[in-house]
Amino acid sequence: MTATGRVRAEFVAAGKSFLRRRTAVFFTFFFPVLLIVIFGVLVGTQPTGGGLFSKAPGYYVPAYLAVVVLLTPLSRVGSTVARFRDGSRFEKLATTPLSRPEWLLAHTLVNVAVIGLASLIILVLVVFVTGAEIALSVMVIPFVAVAVALFCGLGALIGSLSGSTDGVVAASNAIGLPLLFLSETFVTPDLLPGWFRPVMNLSPLTYFARGVRNLTFFGGPWTFDFVVLCAVAVVVFALGAYALPETD
């Protein structure tokens, strides 16, 4: 069997596994919708005011996308790696032709498909529920795909290094939540101390948010952010694949 065939077979198996986990499917799509309802409708934006949500609704589109782009891969891939390790499935996997990078690629493609659909739903809801005025660009698709690959790699690292499934959940939250709110998403840089703003450039999610925001809202340059996101994604994905255990 070729590498493409092996990845395709694992992709189909991983996709079916995800669909069987109804709770995971529900929260993958429900959680970002809940955030849109809370922040976009109940709280609302105040473009002429100050503080949180002081920008126009379109400004926060990357923030809503970041919820699924970041949190879903971290938790899903991290938990999957932990389950495979606890069930001695990596030991069985080592007896097959499927390599660790191929395994991670297949699971990443499942996440890209699922999160791509969730992102489309988010874009539609943001426009119709909050009245956000955004420019649609096909480049949003590769931004989402590359970011998902990056955080799948990070999820694989977390799952490989954590001692248990509970440890994966704790580590994912400890890493994901600060990144979500301190990467030019919901919290604008002007609300943070001046000394902290350069630190935001260390977060790969910042480049996702900036790039998508320039594409959909500001109409500014996005190439640099995309190149940085791609470079970091390649490194983190490679590290995640390398960290996957060959045996348990």
Side-chain angles (χ1 to χ4, degrees), residues 153-242:
L154 185 56
L157 273 172
I158 293 173
S160 300
L161 299 176
S162 298
S164 64
T165 304
D166 290 339
V168 169
V169 174
S172 297
N173 290 334
I175 294 173
L177 292 179
L179 284 180
L180 180 61
F181 291 100
L182 299 176
S183 302
E184 294 194 20
T185 50
F186 292 103
V187 181
T188 56
D190 56 285
L191 296 178
L192 296 170
W195 62 266
F196 186 81
R197 294 171 194 172
V199 178
M200 301 175 77
N201 294 324
L202 300 178
S203 168
L205 193 64
T206 294
Y207 298 95
F208 170 80
R210 285 177 184 168
V212 173
R213 186 169 289 120
N214 282 332
L215 280 169
T216 61
F217 187 69
F218 287 132
W222 51 266
T223 307
F224 175 76
D225 298 295
F226 185 67
V227 170
V228 172
L229 192 68
C230 288
V232 177
V234 169
V235 173
V236 175
F237 185 91
L239 290 174
Y242 177 79

Side-chain angles (χ1 to χ4, degrees), residues 21-43:
R21 295 179 174 275
R22 297 180 181 178
T23 302
V25 174
F26 177 76
F27 281 102
T28 296
F29 295 97
F30 174 75
F31 186 59
V33 171
L34 180 63
L35 286 181
I36 293 172
V37 172
I38 293 175
F39 293 141
V41 179
L42 298 181
V43 176

Side-chain angles (χ1 to χ4, degrees), residues 36-78:
I36 293 172
V37 172
I38 293 175
F39 293 141
V41 179
L42 298 181
V43 176
T45 61
Q46 301 172 3
T48 58
L52 287 173
F53 299 99
S54 59
K55 306 290 185 180
Y59 180 91
Y60 298 99
V61 167
Y64 295 123
L65 293 178
V67 173
V68 290
V69 164
L70 169 66
L71 299 181
T72 300
L74 283 185
S75 60
R76 288 201 64 247
V77 175

Side-chain angles (χ1 to χ4, degrees), residues 49 57 86 94 116 118 124 134 159 167 178-179 197 221 233:
D86 293 342
V124 172
I134 60 174
L179 284 180
R197 294 171 194 172

